Amino acid sequence: MAIIAPSLLASNFLRLSDECVMLNESEADWFHLDVMDGRFVPNISFGLPVIEQIRTMTSKVCDVHLMIEEPERYAEAFKKAGADILTVHIEACRHLHRNIQQIRNLGMEPGVALNPHTPVEMLYNVLSDISIVCIMSVNPGFGGQQFIPHTLQKIKTLRTKIDQLGLNTKIEVDGGITWENAAEILNAGAHVLVAGSTVFKAKSPKKMISDLKKL
Ligand code: DX5
Ligand code: ZN
């Protein structure tokens, strides 16, 4: 069954505790938390103090997606704030292998995210060291964008490689996931669906989560 990770970027920040309660009561598996620094991506979202407070609201997995430069400077702080999974961008890491080890040594599951232009082959040398590959299906920085179709081929290629190697690395797909394209994304080989607008702008977010979960 698919893992559903609603992105709180699309939630109502003025009612954040209600949104957390809603997710707790829903079939959502993970809380996807998007951190943007205004350098790696052209937008600024939220950071450590917000994640620290969200942590007190849930026992579900906190999946932190760092869209920041020099993520190694903050890995320990995100651990302290309560991250279970810490995902860094390959494009932001000059020493990716070292960064992955740092995240694991801190006691978190390491994830690596790839921008739409980055080939999945770039990850093959670290595939067995990481828990999650986050394939960006939009250019990171904003919620509510359109799914980029060539992502499907990247998911297929990566899934074949992971299965060939017998790894249990999970493929997470992030950006532009809708009720209409979710099944195709899962069929291509994704394990985890991140959905922001599709969940939080739905008439009933809980029902949307449950419908996605059933796919
Ligand atoms: C984009 C973020 C995504 C975003 C997805 O930079 O990494 O997690 O919140 O939002 P939707 O689902 O609205 O495309
Ligand atoms: Zn994200």
Side-chain angles (χ1 to χ4, degrees):
M1 228 196 283
I3 292 173
I4 308 299
S7 161
L8 280 103
L9 189 63
S11 71
N12 182 343
F13 296 151
L14 289 178
R15 302 170 56 90
L16 196 49
S17 71
D18 296 345
E19 303 281 44
C20 291
V21 170
M22 181 279 288
L23 290 183
N24 283 338
E25 290 171 351
S26 78
E27 291 172 54
D29 299 279
W30 297 355
F31 280 40
H32 184 85
L33 302 165
D34 288 302
V35 178
M36 304 177 185
D37 67 352
R39 301 263 303 147
F40 179 70
V41 288
N43 197 8
I44 299 175
S45 58
F46 51 78
L48 292 159
V50 174
I51 291 177
E52 212 178 296
Q53 296 199 6
I54 291 174
R55 176 76 282 176
T56 68
M57 290 287 303
T58 189
S59 52
K60 294 196 181 193
V61 170
C62 285
D63 169 34
V64 176
H65 176 192
L66 295 184
M67 286 161 273
I68 68 173
E69 300 282 1
E70 299 182 278
E72 66 279 3
R73 290 175 57 195
Y74 300 97
E76 198 175 341
F78 280 102
K79 169 65 186 176
K80 288 199 180 117
D84 299 302
I85 299 169
L86 197 65
T87 296
V88 296
H89 265 266
I90 190 171
E91 302 85 2
C93 293
R94 199 172 289 170
H95 297 283
L96 184 65
H97 187 267
R98 180 185 290 151
N99 299 354
I100 291 165
Q101 282 178 314
Q102 178 199 29
I103 294 168
R104 223 187 255 292
N105 291 340
L106 285 166
M108 296 176 285
E109 301 282 346
V112 177
L114 304 180
N115 278 340
H117 73 276
T118 305
V120 290
E121 287 80 1
M122 297 277 289
L123 268 187
Y124 285 3
N125 288 328
V126 294
L127 215 44
S128 60
D129 302 308
I130 61 183
S131 305
I132 318 281
V133 177
C134 176
I135 298 191
M136 292 307 303
S137 38
V138 298
N139 284 299
F142 302 90
Q145 304 180 77
Q146 276 223 332
F147 185 87
I148 298 172
H150 86 250
T151 309
L152 287 170
Q153 189 51 53
K154 290 173 73 175
I155 301 169
K156 285 180 195 155
T157 306
L158 183 63
R159 181 59 188 261
T160 306
K161 185 71 181 178
I162 287 171
D163 290 350
Q164 267 171 7
L165 297 172
L167 300 172
N168 43 31
T169 315
K170 289 189 166 62
I171 303 177
E172 176 177 53
V173 180
D174 185 5
I177 296 183
T178 62
W179 171 244
E180 286 72 27
N181 64 18
E184 199 180 5
I185 294 165
L186 289 172
N187 285 336
H191 304 93
V192 186
L193 298 180
V194 174
S197 345
T198 292
V199 164
F200 287 97
K201 308 293 179 233
K203 232 194 257 157
S204 165
K206 268 190 211 167
K207 182 170 185 305
M208 177 56 75
I209 292 167
S210 142
D211 288 348
L212 288 169
K213 186 82 196 164
K214 281 191 204 95
L215 284 176

